[in-house]
Amino acid sequence: MSRGELDSGLCKWLNQTVSGIDRPWLIRRSDLNSMDEKRHEIRIKTDLGEEEARTEILKGMARAKWLTSGLSPEPERSDNILTGALYRYWQQRWFVRHFGSVGVDANSVFPLTEEQQQTLKMPTSEPYLQEIDQRISAWDANAVQWWPAFWQQTSNLPNPRVDDCINKAPAMGGDNTPETYNPEVLGKWAPALDQRTNYESLPVPTSMDYIVFNSSRHSSRMYRWWARDIFVSAKGDVKEIVLNNRHIQEVEALLPVRLPGRDQAVALASDQTLGTVEMLSKNGRYALPSLTPDDYIVALRIEPDLPFTLVRDQYTGLHTLTVPETKADQSLRVTYVVEPRATGNKTPAKRTRPTLLDTYCSEGMKKVLHELFQNIGEQPSELKVSLQKIQNAKNAKQQIKAITEYCEQFSGKAKPRRKKNFFKFLVTKRQGSCRHRVPVFIAFCRYFGIPCRQIDNRVHCFAEYSLDGGQTWKSADLGGADAEIIEITSHFQPIRRVNVFSTESRKIKALLKDFLKRADSAQQQILAKACGMSLAELNKALETNSALPETNLRISEIVRNLWEEKDLTRFSMGVALLESLETQAFGYNEKQLVGDGGYNPMSEAVKHILSNSDKDQVTEQLKLLHSKMFVQWGAYPLLWLGSMEKILNGSDLARPSFLRFALEALKSGWLDPVPNYYEDITGAFQHHQLLLHLERIDELKIEAAHCLKKCYWEFLSREKNSQAWRLAYKNFRQRKGDVFFVTHCHDGFSRSLESKIASSSLQAAWTDEPEGVPNIERMLLHHPAFQRLISGKASHRPVIIMGQPSWCDTMINEKVEALFLLKVESRPNLKQILEKINQRESARKQICDALKKSETQNYRANFIKSVPPEERLPLHNEIDECNRAILQAFSHYLYGMTHSNGGCLTYCWADASNEEFMLTNKYGAHDPSSPEELYAMMSTIDDSPGFQEAVKDAYLREALNASDALVLKSHELTTIAEEFLSSVNLKSIFDSLDT
């Protein structure tokens, strides 16, 4: 079948086979597989056979159906392997139930990784599978809205092996079977902590510190090798229970990729670290160190090369390597790569009960600490202050800080007496090295319900605590005894850093591998070129050590390279790649592809494609991209609007391809206004100008007009933006104080305004005077039967103001001068000043001429120029008062006239600036409530003359719901102001000021 052709056979098969379809789906052949849920259309590659096509269709249908529930088709990144495996297990059970009769393998739709498959097979996972099977059997899959809640409950299954710190589950066979864990029992047999706390009187020990990790980002003292539980007996003995192989919670099976030989360089992602360790084992089990509780080993090589299994304990985060073929005390050299996984729900078990392992406070701990806090007033002063900090902490974070400070004050001067409570000695005397401090820290934390445990390595031990119930862990280094450390550095394998995070690298590789499978040979070559390599090199990079990044492949860069070729095939491939990304994978780099104010590869490509064809072949691709980036991902819509403007501005809209594209863009809402504009991307003025341009084209007139009306509603409606002015007006009044002192208009008026604002309504009246065609019914009833229109009661039209008068084009300066001279004549002090600087008539004439020709601001400058500095301020204040008095009188007139006879006034601003009083919205409308508020608006809001003149009055009236409104812009207001100035009574203003 050719591209775009409807496949009727597949349409019939799908709509008859799959149940629960609310409306038919259309299936067309295309270059790539895609699904448009809004249009109910599926596109399948033309080269796929019928069975392959059916499989791809069902994959898309199943994943789309899953998405409608609000859940991701992929497990969360923060999920551990078991949680991810259970999620996939649930998805597969659902698929079999919903699509079971179609003959498609559920694992091909929701695939389990090898690690997930191995983890589900482990005995430790069996209780979870049994429980989830029961829940799924009772689950109502039709209640889609409850799916997230179902998964939340299922993923928080209680741990079947930890209940009040005692394992009551029956033992199961296998090397990784959890043992019964009861600290009360195990503590009796565990070795007791030594009592050599007086290290300051002992020789400084020498320790061999083998540098395990090739990293400068982590302290060589703070790596993790063993985890221990701390138990304090009733007598005060401190017991350490090693947890590495007890598997208190579930165990994950790991399948790390094989590292190349030790002389070959290995590529590592930004967050990956190489480790090397040599060690012996008596039973074929080797504990492998890590750096953080969230680390996973993703690549490994052992020497000699022997079969092995690798598991990770979910509770401790530690790894155990099992090599069955090793002999007793055989040494192994292990080279491996660790990387941290995103933290989240660490285990399916939601660890909230205070009796869990890491919050279990033994009776020996409780007794000592309870007595200590009960008798806190009897303690020595330095101990008392520290204990009060712990007891009075407002939250767990403050308690951790106080406990840390308490334990850091240990010294090594004394040791306990024989047969005395050793734990009480540690707590009250604060003596000992790191191994003595950590149990005290753990006891305090557990006493206050904070999960805590001990972590050891060859040279140091420290504590790990959790502030979120065991979901995430932080380390606390409490210091310790001095020691002579001899660092022994391993011969690390050479590494090569790749600037990409490990999780991102794996996802990109998986995406590209899947894309290559679905692409034809030509598309494969195109993709390889966009990746900057040959097809053979790309295949090698994707297959080699998938956990390690061979090259810095980024989807954003690949898409950019494709789009810069500016042809439809490559543009479509770029869209398909972005569509394949998970929503959470979209970031800043992907956003820049659409537009961020500078170079815009998407708009450049679209413009070029449209220019080279009379057909619009790109809009369908843009619809897919818009759905992904702006509907699903929630990208900022201004970016898309900016791209549309770049495509259409300067384009030849007489060309059919551009004309059809513009029409589709308008219909799709791509040119609709957005709540906020940023000039570095696009401004409202540019947007408005483009829409005006489109409206002048006959084929686009209706849609462009509709879009313009949306803009006016967004920019200039009272409901949207009135609040912004209220805040600015509040700031104005707080900063300016009571600046409004004129109480009326002082006889000023404007004939042009009063003639335009008047609106007389015409009413129908009946008369006996013959005129026109009579009303027969009224004639038969002997009523007046001839209709005549007569003038009704006069009223005032609503008024919309946009802009301010151009005062420099009026006689304002002459009026200010005249009012000022009236003041001079009545005030001897002002008259004296003028006489000093106008001793000669020629000088006075020169100043008066300057006053008549200059603007108000220039007038002040010229007038005051000759005045001595000490006398300038009173002159300046008087002139300013005259100017404000006239403007306030004008505000009184304008407000009073527009509110008489049932009228009203709305003040609009567009592309305005008002930084002084923090007018946050550059566009808006507000009905001033007084002449004072109108004066504040006209004197502080400075908007764009170009924008206001371009505004269409009819659409503005519609946005403000005032169809008969009189719209006054800057030039009309200037005429009104000039007429007002010609008639205003300056003597009346002077009298009001003089009083």
Side-chain angles (χ1 to χ4, degrees), residues 220-223 225-226 455-462:
S220 61
R221 290 161 37 96
M222 295 296 289
Y223 63 91
W225 208 326
W226 298 281
I455 301 296
D456 297 356
N457 56 48
R458 281 174 170 164
V459 296
H460 191 46
C461 73
F462 53 92

Side-chain angles (χ1 to χ4, degrees), residues 80 89 222 392 402 484 533 856 858 898 905 937:
N80 57 58
Y89 183 75
M222 295 296 289
N392 298 332
E484 184 180 341
M533 58 187 76
T856 304
N858 292 332
T898 55
L905 172 64
M937 299 184 86

Side-chain angles (χ1 to χ4, degrees), residues 464-484:
E464 283 184 348
Y465 63 90
S466 175
L467 295 178
D468 53 13
Q471 301 302 308
T472 58
W473 295 86
K474 296 182 179 180
S475 59
D477 185 4
L478 308 170
D482 293 332
E484 184 180 341

Side-chain angles (χ1 to χ4, degrees), residues 201-380:
S201 61
L202 299 175
V204 176
T206 299
S207 297
M208 310 291 285
D209 185 11
Y210 292 86
I211 305 301
V212 176
F213 293 101
N214 185 10
S215 172
S216 59
R217 294 175 296 177
H218 299 85
S219 169
S220 61
R221 290 161 37 96
M222 295 296 289
Y223 63 91
R224 314 171 75 253
W225 208 326
W226 298 281
R228 302 180 194 273
D229 185 21
I230 298 298
F231 174 80
V232 177
S233 68
K235 295 181 179 180
D237 293 330
V238 179
K239 301 296 189 78
E240 297 178 326
I241 305 171
V242 179
L243 299 175
N244 283 44
N245 294 316
R246 293 198 177 275
H247 305 315
I248 303 302
Q249 294 180 347
E250 72 277 2
V251 177
E252 300 171 293
L254 303 184
L255 300 175
V257 299
R258 181 181 175 81
L259 281 173
R262 66 167 70 181
D263 295 329
Q264 298 180 44
V266 58
L268 296 183
S270 303
D271 56 346
Q272 293 179 330
T273 306
L274 183 74
T276 299
V277 64
E278 293 188 27
M279 50 192 167
L280 301 172
S281 173
K282 294 184 180 296
N283 57 5
R285 287 186 177 182
Y286 300 82
L288 297 182
S290 58
L291 290 168
T292 76
D294 306 306
D295 278 354
Y296 280 74
I297 292 177
V298 296
L300 181 143
R301 184 187 67 251
I302 64 173
E303 300 171 76
D305 187 8
L306 296 170
F308 66 86
T309 58
L310 179 65
V311 297
R312 180 180 182 275
D313 185 273
Q314 263 299 307
Y315 171 62
T316 64
L318 294 171
H319 298 76
T320 300
L321 181 73
T322 302
V323 187
E325 296 182 15
T326 56
K327 300 175 183 178
D329 295 326
Q330 180 174 346
S331 175
L332 281 185
R333 177 185 174 91
V334 184
T335 302
Y336 57 101
V337 176
V338 296
E339 68 179 37
R341 298 280 172 88
T343 57
N345 288 328
K346 297 289 294 178
T347 66
K350 191 171 183 179
R351 299 152 48 84
T352 55
R353 291 172 294 167
T355 51
L356 289 178
L357 168 66
D358 41 46
T359 52
Y360 179 67
C361 192
S362 64
E363 289 301 320
M365 294 178 182
K366 286 181 185 178
K367 182 179 178 182
V368 170
L369 296 181
H370 183 72
E371 181 181 336
L372 189 67
F373 284 110
Q374 284 290 102
N375 303 300
I376 198 169
E378 301 173 10
Q379 306 302 323

Side-chain angles (χ1 to χ4, degrees), residues 266-553:
V266 58
L268 296 183
S270 303
D271 56 346
Q272 293 179 330
T273 306
L274 183 74
T276 299
V277 64
E278 293 188 27
M279 50 192 167
L280 301 172
S281 173
K282 294 184 180 296
N283 57 5
R285 287 186 177 182
Y286 300 82
L288 297 182
S290 58
L291 290 168
T292 76
D294 306 306
D295 278 354
Y296 280 74
I297 292 177
V298 296
L300 181 143
R301 184 187 67 251
I302 64 173
E303 300 171 76
D305 187 8
L306 296 170
F308 66 86
T309 58
L310 179 65
V311 297
R312 180 180 182 275
D313 185 273
Q314 263 299 307
Y315 171 62
T316 64
L318 294 171
H319 298 76
T320 300
L321 181 73
T322 302
V323 187
E325 296 182 15
T326 56
K327 300 175 183 178
D329 295 326
Q330 180 174 346
S331 175
L332 281 185
R333 177 185 174 91
V334 184
T335 302
Y336 57 101
V337 176
V338 296
E339 68 179 37
R341 298 280 172 88
T343 57
N345 288 328
K346 297 289 294 178
T347 66
K350 191 171 183 179
R351 299 152 48 84
T352 55
R353 291 172 294 167
T355 51
L356 289 178
L357 168 66
D358 41 46
T359 52
Y360 179 67
C361 192
S362 64
E363 289 301 320
M365 294 178 182
K366 286 181 185 178
K367 182 179 178 182
V368 170
L369 296 181
H370 183 72
E371 181 181 336
L372 189 67
F373 284 110
Q374 284 290 102
N375 303 300
I376 198 169
E378 301 173 10
Q379 306 302 323
S381 58
E382 69 276 6
L383 208 64
K384 177 181 176 180
V385 171
S386 298
L387 290 171
Q388 285 176 334
K389 282 185 179 180
I390 297 173
Q391 189 177 50
N392 298 332
K394 295 180 180 179
N395 51 49
K397 190 174 181 179
Q398 287 186 5
Q399 272 180 333
I400 288 293
K401 183 181 179 182
I403 295 169
T404 301
E405 291 174 354
Y406 185 91
C407 294
E408 286 176 338
Q409 301 305 313
F410 273 54
S411 63
K413 297 180 173 62
K415 63 179 182 179
R417 296 178 181 179
R418 295 184 62 187
K419 297 186 179 180
K420 293 293 183 180
N421 188 311
F422 180 47
F423 177 69
K424 184 175 182 180
F425 168 81
L426 292 177
V427 172
T428 58
K429 302 303 181 183
R430 294 193 285 186
Q431 298 292 306
S433 61
C434 58
R435 64 184 182 275
H436 301 103
R437 304 176 190 202
V438 171
V440 175
F441 183 92
I442 290 173
F444 272 116
C445 285
R446 293 184 179 182
Y447 185 78
F448 288 101
I450 302 171
C452 195
R453 63 196 181 194
Q454 179 172 308
I455 301 296
D456 297 356
N457 56 48
R458 281 174 170 164
V459 296
H460 191 46
C461 73
F462 53 92
E464 283 184 348
Y465 63 90
S466 175
L467 295 178
D468 53 13
Q471 301 302 308
T472 58
W473 295 86
K474 296 182 179 180
S475 59
D477 185 4
L478 308 170
D482 293 332
E484 184 180 341
I485 305 296
I486 300 176
E487 290 188 352
I488 300 176
T489 304
S490 301
H491 295 290
F492 289 112
Q493 185 166 355
I495 63 173
R496 175 173 55 85
R497 285 288 176 189
V498 178
N499 187 27
V500 65
F501 286 102
S502 53
T503 304
E504 179 187 0
S505 175
R506 279 196 299 275
K507 289 183 177 293
I508 291 172
K509 284 185 173 183
L511 189 153
L512 292 177
K513 286 173 72 173
D514 182 62
F515 195 89
L516 281 176
K517 288 179 184 177
R518 296 184 285 116
D520 58 32
S521 58
Q523 291 169 339
Q524 290 175 352
Q525 294 290 344
I526 291 171
L527 181 62
K529 182 181 177 183
C531 294
M533 58 187 76
S534 68
L535 181 57
E537 290 171 335
L538 178 59
N539 281 320
K540 183 179 179 181
L542 296 181
E543 294 300 334
T544 304
N545 288 347
S546 60
L548 305 175
E550 285 299 311
T551 58
N552 187 10
L553 293 172

